[in-house]
Amino acid sequence: MGLRQKVQRDLAQSALPDDLKAEFHDLSTWAGTLPEKFDQRVRIRLIDVASLEGFVKSLVHRFWRYPAFAIEGQRYVGSDFSRVDALIAQALRRKEEPSATRSPSSNAH
Amino acid sequence: MNTLLAVIIGAVTVYLAYTLYARRIDRRVIQADPKRATPATLYMDGVDFMPTNRNILFGYHFKSIAAAGPIIGAIVAANLWGWLPAIIWLILGVSFLGWASDYSGIVISVRNEGNSLSAIAHRLVSPRTRSILFVFIFFYLLLVAGAFVGIMATVLEAQPKTQLGVIVLTVMGLLLGQMLYRWRTGLVGATVLTVGVTLIAILGGGFTEEVFKAFNAGLNSLSGGAPLVTYFDPTLANFKGADAKLMPSLLFWALAISAFCYAGSVLPIWRMAQPVIYVGFWITALSMVLGLTGALVAPFLKPEVAQFVIPAFKGFNVQLGPAGIMPLWPMLFVTIACGAISGWHALFGAVGTARQIQNEADMLPIGGGSMFAEFLLGLLALLAVSVGAKGAPVGAFATGLGGFISVWGLPIQYATSLAFAAFIVIVLVVTQLLFRVQRITLSEWLGDVIPPVRNQHVASLICVALAILLMMTGTWVYLWQLFGGANQMMAALSLLLVTVWLASVGKNWLYAGLPALFMYLTTLASLLVTAYNIYANVYNPNLAAGRMIPVVGSGLMVLVALLLVAAAVLIGIDGWRAFQRYRRHPVTQPRPAAARA
C-alpha cells in the first residue's frame, strides 16, 4: 500500500464516529440500489453536511436533522429509505404524466 | 501605485495568460478530448476514483492547495526586495510556469491511469527516483512544520490580543464536533453559535490584551526574566543581525500550538481537525471577501489605506545578517512560492484531483484555474503588506488587510484583529493536518527499522519535537526559504517528469521543459545559498558563542539543504537520461500501468 493510500485510509477511518459511519454505509448501499430500482432515471447528489454547500442546503430546505432528503420539492428527514423510495416513485409518476423528458433529482444531506 | 491598479493588473494577467496561452497548450499540445475516458470514469470505486462535477472539484482542489504559502511568501519577499520584484515574479510566474505545473500534474496522471508522480517516475525515469522522492517529502513536511510553528508562536506571543480568539476557536471547534457528530444538532444553529462566539472572541481580543500580557510576563518571571535560549538572529536590527532571546512565553505559545497540532494529528478527524477547519473557514472567508473587495474600492472610499508605502525596489542583493547573501536570483523565486508556482499543487493534483476528473475538458479550468485563483490570494497578501508597512512582516500584513476591511465601516482595531486571526487560522488549520501526514510518512519510512515509530503518539511527538527544535534556531526566514526551495524543487521535478512524458509520447515538450530547466537551476542555487547563509549567519556565530540548541538546529537545516540538493541532482541526472532516451525513441502510447500511488 502506498503512502497516499495510508494517509487516505487514516483520514477515512477517523472521519466519522462509528454509529455515523454505519449510517453512512447504509445510505451508500441504498443509493447504490437506485439505478436498478428506477432504471437510471434518478440523479442523486450526496452533500456533506459540514461544508458550505451543506450549510446553504440546510438553510434553504430548513433541515435541522440528518440524514435529510430533498426530492423535487418534497422533504424527508430520517433513515427509513423505503419512504424516500416512495417519494422518488411519486416524483417520477408526476414527471411522466405530462412528459417524460426530465429526470427527477434527489439530494441527500 | 495603488491597490485598484494592482488588482486590475492582476485580473488582466489572469485573463490573458489563461485565454491566450493556457488554452492554446490545452488545445494544441495536450489535445484534451472531452470524449476520452478518464481514470475516474474507468476505475470508479466511490472512494479514490470518483467522477466529480467541475465546480465542486475546483473548490476541493483550491481548498487543498491554498494555505499560508501565497501569503507568507509575498510578505517576506516584499520586505526583502520591495513590492515591484514581488509583483513581477507573481505575474510572470503564474503566467508561464505556475499554471503549467499545476495543470500538467493533473494531465500526466489522467493520461497515465491515475498514477501518482512517484509511480510515473518509477516507470518513466528510474526505480530509485521513487525512493528519493519519498525521503524528499518527509523533509519537505518537516521544513513547513518548523516554519509554520515558528511564525505562529511569534505572532501569538507578540500580539496578546490574538490569543483569546485562537483559544476560543479551538474550544468552539471541539464543541462543533460534539454538536454535529454526537448530539446531532442542526448545522445552521451550530454554525451560528460556534462561528459567532469565535468571531466575538476575535473582535473582542483587545479587551483581554492586558490579561494575556500579564500572563506572558508571569511566564517570563518563572525564569527570573532570563531567556531560555539566546541565539544570533540575522533578521534582527534591520537585517544586520543581533542576539535574540527565546523567552519562556514564546516557548509556551510554541508548545501550545504544538499541543494543538498533536491533538489534531492523533484525534479522529471528526473530533477536532474537521470542525476546527469548518469554523476557521468562515473566519477566513469573511476576512478575505471583505479584504479583497475593500482593496478594490479603497482608492475611492478610503484612499489613505490604498497607497503603497513600502519601497518599490530595495536592491538586487539585500543585506541579511553580517555574512549572508540574499541575491534576487535565485532567492526571490523560492521566497514567493505558492502564489507563482508550487510543487505541492502538482503533487496533490496528480494524486488527488486527477482521480476525480470526469472529463478531460475539466483539466485546465480546475488545474490552471485554481493556480490563477491562488495567484490572486498572493496578490492580496502583497497588497496588504505593501500598504501596511508598520511592524514585522505578519503585523504589516494584518495592518494592511485590516485597512482594507475597515473600508466597510468596521473600526480599524477590530478589522486588524480580524486580519490577524484570519492569518493565524489559515496557518493553524494547515499545520495540524500537516503533522498528521508527517507522522504517517515517518512511520512508513522508519517503522520497520524502529518499530516504536509505528505508534501514532511516538511518531507525532517526534515530528513536533523536530519542528520545535528548528523553531528554536530562531531563523524562520531561512527556514521559510529552505521550505520554498524544497517546494519549488518539487515543482521543477514534476515539470521535468512532464517533459520526459511529453517526449516519450512525441509531443512538444517546450511549455513544460523550459520552466522545468529554469526552476531546477534556480532551486538548486537557492538551496546552496540558503545552506551557506545558515552556516555563515546562524551556525558559526552561535557556535562561537557556545549556544548548542541553535547550533544543532541550524546544523540540521544545513544537512537538510544538502540532502535536498543531492536528491535533486540524482533525480535530475536520471530525468535527463530518460529525456534523451525518449527523444531518440518516443513511444506513441504510454505503457499501461495499474492505478496505484
Side-chain angles (χ1 to χ4, degrees):
Chain A
M1 182 182 278
L3 179 64
R4 179 178 187 274
Q5 278 96 334
K6 290 264 182 188
V7 172
Q8 198 167 39
R9 191 180 62 177
D10 178 78
L11 295 176
Q13 277 177 348
S14 63
L16 290 170
D18 288 342
D19 54 339
L20 285 178
K21 214 183 285 175
E23 211 169 82
F24 182 73
H25 180 261
D26 292 345
L27 180 68
S28 304
T29 308
W30 165 78
T33 64
L34 290 178
E36 196 184 329
K37 277 185 203 160
F38 297 104
D39 196 22
Q40 309 288 344
R41 288 173 298 164
V42 179
R43 188 162 54 85
I44 185 161
R45 282 189 66 204
L46 207 59
I47 296 167
D48 178 13
V49 174
S51 66
L52 180 61
E53 194 178 9
F55 179 86
V56 173
K57 293 281 183 189
S58 293
L59 206 59
V60 169
H61 296 292
R62 288 170 286 114
F63 288 140
W64 318 124
R65 295 271 164 183
Y66 314 96
F69 302 82
I71 307 117
E72 295 283 301
Q74 301 288 312
R75 301 167 68 250
Y76 170 70
V77 179
S79 297
D80 183 354
F81 300 130
S82 62
R83 292 186 58 184
V84 187
D85 285 344
L87 285 172
I88 294 172
Q90 208 176 59
L92 282 170
R93 276 197 301 276
R94 274 202 311 271
K95 286 273 170 189
E96 280 161 3
E97 276 162 19
S99 81
T101 51
R102 284 183 60 204
S103 299
S105 64
S106 164
N107 287 328
H109 302 268
Chain B
M1 181 63 119
N2 67 36
T3 52
L4 178 65
L5 192 57
V7 171
I8 290 172
I9 290 171
V12 171
T13 301
V14 169
Y15 177 77
L16 292 179
Y18 190 86
T19 53
L20 297 183
Y21 186 43
R23 273 195 182 151
R24 193 182 169 89
I25 297 293
D26 186 53
R27 208 170 42 238
R28 302 231 174 138
V29 177
I30 300 300
Q31 295 170 318
D33 179 3
K35 290 178 186 157
R36 191 198 299 248
T38 61
T41 54
L42 284 171
Y43 310 118
M44 182 168 70
D45 59 9
V47 180
D48 213 10
F49 294 89
M50 184 72 185
T52 306
N53 175 276
R54 174 192 292 196
N55 298 329
I56 293 170
L57 195 53
F58 177 90
Y60 165 74
H61 183 72
F62 181 67
K63 198 172 73 177
S64 305
I65 63 169
I71 298 173
I72 295 172
I75 296 171
V76 176
N79 273 284
L80 283 173
W81 294 281
W83 61 261
L84 188 60
I87 202 168
I88 290 173
W89 166 233
L90 273 173
I91 288 173
L92 293 180
V94 74
S95 300
F96 296 104
L97 295 88
W99 77 265
S101 169
D102 286 29
Y103 161 76
S104 304
I106 293 175
V107 167
I108 192 172
S109 178
V110 167
R111 291 283 174 89
N112 284 276
E113 314 265 324
N115 279 292
S116 68
L117 292 181
S118 55
I120 297 167
H122 181 272
R123 183 170 63 80
L124 275 183
V125 182
S126 77
R128 75 173 177 183
T129 308
R130 188 179 191 184
S131 311
I132 297 170
L133 272 175
F134 196 62
V135 177
F136 194 97
I137 289 169
F138 175 78
F139 285 108
Y140 168 73
L141 293 173
L142 176 62
L143 293 172
V144 189
F148 283 8
V149 169
I151 290 164
M152 281 186 292
T154 308
V155 172
L156 279 173
E157 200 245 0
Q159 301 287 336
K161 65 182 171 191
T162 61
Q163 293 164 358
L164 179 69
V166 173
I167 293 168
V168 172
L169 167 74
T170 310
V171 174
M172 286 299 113
L174 290 168
L175 177 64
L176 182 71
Q178 185 70 16
M179 289 175 82
L180 281 185
Y181 298 110
R182 293 270 47 102
W183 300 337
R184 299 207 183 190
T185 53
L187 178 72
V188 176
T191 302
V192 170
L193 174 72
T194 54
V195 176
V197 171
T198 306
L199 206 52
I200 290 168
I202 288 168
L203 296 177
F207 296 106
T208 55
E209 191 173 2
E210 290 306 317
V211 176
F212 282 106
K213 267 186 188 166
F215 178 71
N216 284 350
L219 287 171
N220 293 336
S221 70
L222 291 175
S223 64
L228 294 175
V229 180
T230 303
Y231 55 86
F232 180 79
D233 184 345
T235 63
L236 294 180
N238 204 18
F239 293 147
K240 289 188 176 66
D243 273 355
K245 295 175 172 56
L246 196 152
M247 301 302 290
S249 55
L250 182 66
L251 184 63
F252 172 83
W253 289 108
L255 290 173
I257 291 162
S258 301
F260 176 92
C261 293
Y262 172 76
S265 166
V266 298
L267 284 175
I269 291 279
W270 66 268
R271 175 63 79 185
M272 185 168 169
Q274 204 271 350
V276 166
I277 289 172
Y278 179 79
V279 176
F281 161 79
W282 285 98
I283 306 298
T284 316
L286 183 68
S287 311
M288 291 303 158
V289 169
L290 291 176
L292 198 56
T293 51
L296 263 174
V297 300
F300 309 108
L301 299 180
K302 206 173 178 183
E304 67 272 22
V305 301
Q307 288 302 321
F308 282 25
V309 292
I310 64 169
F313 184 55
K314 291 184 177 177
F316 285 102
N317 186 12
V318 292
Q319 184 69 25
L320 180 55
I325 53 171
M326 197 58 73
L328 192 129
W329 186 90
M331 301 314 290
L332 169 70
F333 304 89
V334 298
T335 304
I336 293 186
C338 306
I341 176 173
S342 167
W344 168 256
H345 302 182
L347 195 68
F348 183 82
V351 298
T353 311
R355 295 178 185 189
Q356 292 173 286
I357 293 279
Q358 67 177 0
N359 184 327
E360 281 203 351
D362 294 348
M363 295 189 299
L364 181 62
I366 293 167
S370 294
M371 182 61 229
F372 283 112
E374 178 115 330
F375 156 77
L376 292 176
L377 190 57
L379 186 65
L380 176 65
L382 181 63
L383 296 185
V385 79
S386 299
V387 302
K390 286 178 190 166
V394 178
F397 166 75
T399 308
L401 184 59
F404 299 153
I405 295 171
S406 73
V407 168
W408 299 114
L410 193 66
I412 188 74
Q413 68 271 28
Y414 296 123
T416 309
S417 291
L418 188 59
F420 262 121
F423 176 83
I424 293 171
V425 166
I426 288 173
V427 184
L428 200 60
V429 296
V430 172
T431 311
Q432 61 165 348
L433 287 178
L434 194 143
F435 273 107
R436 196 175 193 99
V437 177
Q438 198 187 1
R439 73 141 160 92
I440 297 168
T441 312
L442 183 67
S443 63
E444 275 298 286
W445 180 28
L446 297 177
D448 291 338
V449 188
I450 312 168
V453 170
R454 286 188 204 147
N455 181 291
Q456 63 168 354
H457 299 283
V458 173
S460 295
L461 285 173
I462 290 172
C463 295
V464 165
L466 283 172
I468 294 262
L469 177 65
L470 286 184
M471 187 214 86
M472 287 172 82
T473 61
T475 50
W476 73 270
V477 168
Y478 289 152
L479 201 52
W480 179 260
Q481 289 180 335
L482 207 51
F483 148 71
N487 188 49
Q488 305 299 69
M489 180 57 80
M490 185 66 82
L493 297 179
S494 75
L495 281 167
L496 173 68
L497 192 58
V498 171
T499 307
V500 172
W501 170 69
L502 288 169
S504 79
V505 292
K507 287 182 183 292
N508 187 335
W509 47 267
L510 280 172
Y511 93 91
L514 292 179
L517 183 65
F518 174 76
M519 289 313 296
Y520 187 76
L521 295 176
T522 301
T523 47
L524 267 186
S526 80
L527 287 169
L528 291 172
V529 170
T530 307
Y532 169 75
N533 280 337
I534 296 168
Y535 173 76
N537 260 343
V538 187
Y539 184 87
N540 259 348
N542 284 306
L543 185 66
R547 295 160 179 165
M548 285 320 291
I549 289 178
V551 165
V552 172
S554 56
L556 181 64
M557 283 162 70
V558 172
L559 200 65
V560 170
L562 296 178
L563 203 66
L564 293 176
V565 168
V569 168
L570 287 175
I571 295 173
I573 291 170
D574 289 350
W576 175 251
R577 283 179 182 156
F579 174 69
Q580 294 290 66
R581 196 168 63 238
Y582 288 121
R583 272 192 80 190
R584 283 195 293 270
H585 307 290
V587 288
T588 48
Q589 290 293 322
R591 276 178 282 164
R596 59 189 168 82

